Amino acid sequence: MDIKDKINEIVDKVKDDDDFKKDFKKNPEKAIESLAGVDIPNGMLDKIVDGVKAKIAGDKISDALDGLKKLF
């Protein structure tokens, strides 16, 4: 399993699916495992959860900066 690809897939799902977003916020590990359809080893699951959260936070910062650029 390529973690980077899986992170991007999950980020897209969080952005596009409000129900999945709620599940991810409530219990990210369970949401990811339900999306994958398999039990993911804890060490790998932690990396995926951390990567998804970082990417979502980074996207929010990027969107905010884009909004600021429009002001100038």
Side-chain angles (χ1 to χ4, degrees):
M1 172 187 306
D2 183 21
I3 292 177
K4 185 177 178 182
D5 289 343
K6 188 53 73 177
I7 289 170
N8 289 329
E9 175 187 337
I10 295 165
V11 168
D12 290 342
K13 182 79 171 170
V14 168
K15 289 180 179 179
D16 297 338
D17 185 333
D18 288 336
D19 290 333
F20 183 78
K21 183 188 297 187
K22 289 177 191 174
D23 291 343
F24 183 82
K25 286 181 178 181
K26 186 176 177 181
N27 188 338
E29 292 87 1
K30 185 176 178 183
I32 290 171
E33 285 185 334
S34 71
L35 180 65
V38 295
D39 185 33
I40 301 171
N42 285 342
M44 185 175 287
L45 187 58
D46 292 340
K47 290 178 184 178
I48 293 172
V49 170
D50 291 343
V52 170
K53 288 180 178 179
K55 183 144 178 71
I56 290 171
D59 287 349
K60 288 180 183 177
I61 290 170
S62 177
D63 290 345
L65 291 175
D66 288 345
L68 287 174
K69 288 178 187 176
K70 292 177 184 176
L71 294 175
F72 298 100

